Amino acid sequence: MKWIHPLKIGSFTAANNLLLAPMAGITDSPFRVLCLKGGAGIVCAEMVSAHALHYGNEKSGRMLRVNPKEHPVSMQIFGSDEATIAEAAKNAEAQGADLVDLNAGCPVKKINKAGAGCVLMKDEAKLGRLIEAAVKSVKIPVTLKTRVALTHREWLGARLAKLAQSAGAAAVTLHARAAVDVHSGPPNIPALAEACAAVTIPVIGNGGVQDASLAKQFLQAGCAGVMIGRGAIGNPFIFRDIIEEFDGKTPSSHTAKNRLAIYLDLIRENVAYYGERIGVNRSRKTAGYWIKDFPNAAEVRGAFVRLDTLAEIEALFSATLARL
């Protein structure tokens, strides 16, 4: 069976069915561009507050901007009010997003206190209205990202998938862990399978995918696609790796030398996008994911976080790559 194939979501078709998950502080434009180079079929932006957009928050407005190099891109919004969700969806479409995604799975307390994220799983009528509001406001496909459960007492994946479908969503992404688990523990494959069997729209599985083995389990359960989040931090070429694994090949990015070369590419993208000072600072945040698993990695990492210019970083990486 062919596991990697084009993914049709409403009127949109992606080249393949491996997606980058939205991650706050991580999946900005430079990272999305790199993940597309790394084989992702669709990249998803970090979630943007519909409420903040409504009140003209400058930072939130910048987060909606779409780089011409980063298509296809899904812009994720969150909120608790139908009017602002509709407005945010329209803004995402106007900025060039290929899809718009509604978050109803984030377990972060600050988001939940505002009546958004996973607390929407408790009020299915309200969640349905929010999806409908977004769907009616745009011509691009609208998707829902949620979880299979709030706690381990009741599994909601199938019911929420049916709700999304009836409200007009073109696809639903299910994080296969309960909200109380956050990012720990094994994904619930049976809950995914139940949801896949309950609807005709694509169900995209998410949660804990680090390689082709778990991705295959999601696809065998009936998922139309696989969304990868934390597995892409430090390896935005994980999508290509999984494709190569399905083809019986050894993943090409699994060497320290390749990983450092990819990281340098990301640092350059950050500097080009944000300017040197901010671009270098943002690059430091994930250094531990990249500069590892080779002799003197800790020493190189320590030197890297003290550098302030791209030229200095390029010199350090050039010397390090020459030694590997």
Side-chain angles (χ1 to χ4, degrees):
M1 184 172 180
K2 189 172 176 63
W3 299 112
I4 304 299
H5 51 73
L7 176 62
K8 184 172 174 57
I9 298 176
S11 59
F12 181 82
T13 302
N16 70 54
N17 55 340
L18 300 178
L19 298 81
L20 171 68
M23 292 180 284
I26 301 292
T27 56
D28 59 1
S29 183
F31 190 74
R32 298 193 298 263
V33 168
L34 194 52
C35 286
L36 284 169
K37 289 180 184 177
I42 298 173
V43 290
C44 300
E46 49 192 323
M47 64 181 183
V48 182
S49 166
H51 183 79
L53 289 171
H54 176 71
Y55 286 100
N57 182 275
E58 202 172 313
K59 181 181 177 183
S60 296
R62 285 197 303 271
M63 289 168 68
L64 278 188
R65 293 176 190 167
V66 174
N67 184 327
K69 297 190 291 184
E70 63 173 291
H71 291 285
V73 60
S74 171
M75 195 61 63
Q76 188 181 72
I77 57 177
F78 73 93
S80 59
D81 173 77
E82 294 157 54
T84 55
I85 283 290
E87 182 184 357
K90 286 179 184 176
N91 284 340
E93 181 179 44
Q95 290 287 346
D98 298 292
L99 307 103
V100 62
D101 184 64
L102 176 62
N103 182 296
C106 178
V108 174
K109 289 181 181 178
K110 182 173 73 172
I111 305 297
N112 296 165
K113 283 181 180 178
C118 71
V119 296
L120 290 170
M121 296 167 66
K122 299 177 182 179
D123 190 342
E124 294 178 22
K126 181 177 182 179
L127 177 55
R129 291 194 300 270
L130 292 175
I131 298 168
E132 288 174 359
V135 169
K136 290 175 181 176
S137 69
V138 295
K139 294 179 181 177
I140 59 176
V142 172
T143 61
L144 173 71
K145 188 173 190 293
T146 186
R147 288 178 176 253
V148 293
L150 279 164
T151 69
H152 296 173
R153 289 193 297 271
E154 185 181 16
W155 300 97
L156 305 171
R159 201 159 79 224
L160 292 174
K162 287 191 281 189
L163 171 69
Q165 179 171 279
S166 64
V172 59
T173 299
L174 287 175
H175 187 130
R177 299 183 179 106
V180 293
D181 296 327
V182 189
H183 299 295
S184 63
N188 189 324
I189 305 294
L192 276 182
E194 183 185 8
C196 292
V199 294
T200 56
I201 60 172
V203 174
I204 297 158
N206 171 230
V209 175
Q210 299 283 340
D211 54 34
S213 61
L214 186 53
K216 187 175 182 179
Q217 290 182 54
F218 282 10
L219 297 170
Q220 286 174 326
C223 291
V226 176
M227 182 174 277
I228 301 165
R230 294 157 73 86
I233 306 174
N235 183 19
F237 279 50
I238 188 173
F239 311 95
R240 186 175 297 172
D241 290 347
I242 288 173
I243 292 169
E244 289 176 346
E245 285 184 78
F246 279 135
D247 287 339
K249 301 173 185 175
T250 300
S252 57
S253 72
H254 284 193
T255 68
K257 193 166 187 175
N258 284 343
R259 187 169 59 249
L260 283 181
I262 295 167
Y263 189 28
L264 183 56
D265 194 6
L266 175 60
I267 296 166
R268 287 169 174 153
E269 287 278 359
N270 279 336
V271 168
Y273 188 79
Y274 293 106
E276 190 164 61
R277 183 180 64 82
I278 296 175
V280 169
N281 283 340
R282 284 188 69 93
S283 301
R284 290 186 183 126
K285 292 180 181 180
T286 56
Y289 287 92
W290 296 92
I291 306 175
K292 63 177 185 177
D293 300 336
F294 62 88
N296 301 319
E299 181 184 328
V300 173
R301 193 164 59 246
F304 167 73
V305 298
R306 292 192 295 271
L307 300 180
D308 296 314
T309 70
L310 179 59
E312 291 171 324
I313 292 167
E314 287 177 329
L316 174 65
F317 276 53
S318 178
T320 304
L321 288 166
R323 291 198 303 270
L324 293 177

